[in-house]
Amino acid sequence: MTDARIWHAEFGHGTPIVLIHGYTIDHRLLLPLDPAFADRPGWRRIYLDLPGHGNSPRLPGRTSATAVADAVVERIRELVGQERFAVVGQSFGGQLARAVTAAFGEQVLGSALIVPVVRWGTDRTLPEETVAERDEEFLAGLSTSEQQVFGAVMARHTKTGWGLYRRHVAPGWDAHDRTAAAELEADFLLPEWPEHGVPAHGGRHLLVTARQDALVGWRDQLALLDHYPRMTAAVLDGTGHNPQVESADAVRELVGRWLDELAPPRG
């Protein structure tokens, strides 16, 4: 037992679907996906706050990718029991969603991976151009630190983009545990890809990447297609590391189609 005490928010009833956010933010970053369920009753949406993020305390021991993955798998077992469920993961949460699929096997209906972490550090293949739109006059009014964080996770450096950032990204950034985050950054990848050593997963899977993603890129993620024979892949233009925020309509449409392809729950 990890005694992780992972906090979660729940909406709806029916088949569980677990949504896992990324590094140094919290579950609020994935709430723009929730309208995809408006005309799809029968899903019990479980939004996690990872250890050291949002409302969840840090792990009792040193924070690492493996420790967080173990805590998430344990928490999901508590929340869903023997029920079949689906999983959504964004960025670092995408790496965790892959680990969840490997751990639970056919109990997982399928996964939606949004800009998932696949490689890190100098092993990443990043795009040369990561800015889709830039308003220099507006940016001049931001502090250097604000520009750095905003610019790293968004591709449209405009007043509108800043509004989306302040609403969906900044609250989680402000709330995360800096010490735990530093520990995790030093041990950010699982020892091996979760897909290695387990059978190919036959469920329906979705991969969403972004051409202007300055943090994880999009090329490395395409290698995941070899491990998921029923995976649909989309590379979105004009958006960065948070496409569910910057290109919300497009991502919700993709997620909605993916939900429709899963074994349909009954509302």
Side-chain angles (χ1 to χ4, degrees):
M1 298 291 289
T2 63
D3 190 28
R5 304 189 307 281
I6 295 177
W7 181 93
H8 72 285
E10 270 193 40
F11 307 98
H13 304 277
T15 301
I17 181 167
V18 180
L19 298 99
I20 310 173
H21 65 80
Y23 173 66
T24 66
I25 36 80
D26 63 21
H27 77 282
R28 287 171 285 189
L29 192 67
L30 293 179
L31 290 178
L33 296 176
D34 212 63
F37 297 93
D39 56 356
R40 295 177 175 87
W43 290 103
R44 173 191 167 204
R45 287 100 69 199
I46 302 171
Y47 290 86
L48 303 183
D49 271 353
L50 294 176
H53 296 73
N55 295 294
S56 295
R58 61 161 296 147
L59 293 172
R62 186 168 182 81
T63 302
S64 68
T66 298
V68 174
D70 288 347
V72 167
V73 167
E74 181 179 305
R75 186 66 172 128
I76 291 174
R77 290 194 196 281
E78 295 172 352
L79 290 169
V80 308
Q82 299 300 312
E83 289 185 81
R84 299 198 74 194
F85 67 99
V87 61
V88 177
Q90 188 262 355
S91 188
F92 180 75
Q95 180 180 217
L96 297 178
R98 294 161 56 208
V100 168
T101 299
F104 286 88
E106 294 307 311
Q107 189 177 345
V108 175
L109 294 166
S111 69
L113 307 178
I114 301 173
V115 296
V117 166
V118 171
R119 301 188 186 280
W120 197 242
T122 58
D123 289 337
R124 290 174 292 180
T125 305
L126 298 178
E128 292 184 6
E129 179 58 60
T130 60
V131 179
E133 186 178 357
R134 186 174 177 88
D135 184 338
E136 296 289 355
E137 183 177 356
F138 169 74
L139 291 173
L142 302 181
S143 69
T144 300
S145 61
E146 287 174 333
Q147 288 189 40
Q148 288 176 341
V149 179
F150 173 47
V153 299
M154 307 288 277
R156 299 190 178 276
H157 302 173
T158 63
K159 184 177 182 179
T160 298
W162 176 251
L164 292 171
Y165 168 83
R166 290 299 307 165
R167 179 180 178 186
H168 298 291
V169 183
W173 170 260
D174 293 341
H176 81 275
D177 185 311
R178 267 60 177 173
T179 302
E183 294 173 2
L184 181 56
E185 185 177 17
D187 198 351
F188 199 66
L189 292 181
L190 295 169
E192 62 179 6
W193 281 25
E195 295 80 9
H196 292 171
V198 298
H201 195 275
R204 294 298 185 111
H205 299 272
L206 172 66
L207 171 66
V208 180
T209 58
R211 290 195 70 98
Q212 286 78 32
D213 190 326
L215 291 183
V216 303
W218 58 272
R219 292 183 184 274
D220 296 333
Q221 287 70 19
L222 299 182
L224 294 174
L225 294 172
D226 293 331
H227 298 275
Y228 300 93
R230 304 301 303 277
M231 174 175 272
T232 295
V235 183
L236 301 181
D237 183 43
T239 188
H241 191 59
N242 292 295
Q244 78 284 358
V245 172
E246 284 191 289
S247 299
D249 289 342
V251 176
R252 281 196 293 262
E253 182 177 355
L254 289 165
V255 169
R257 291 178 182 177
W258 167 70
L259 290 170
D260 293 340
E261 291 173 351
L262 297 176
R266 300 299 179 185

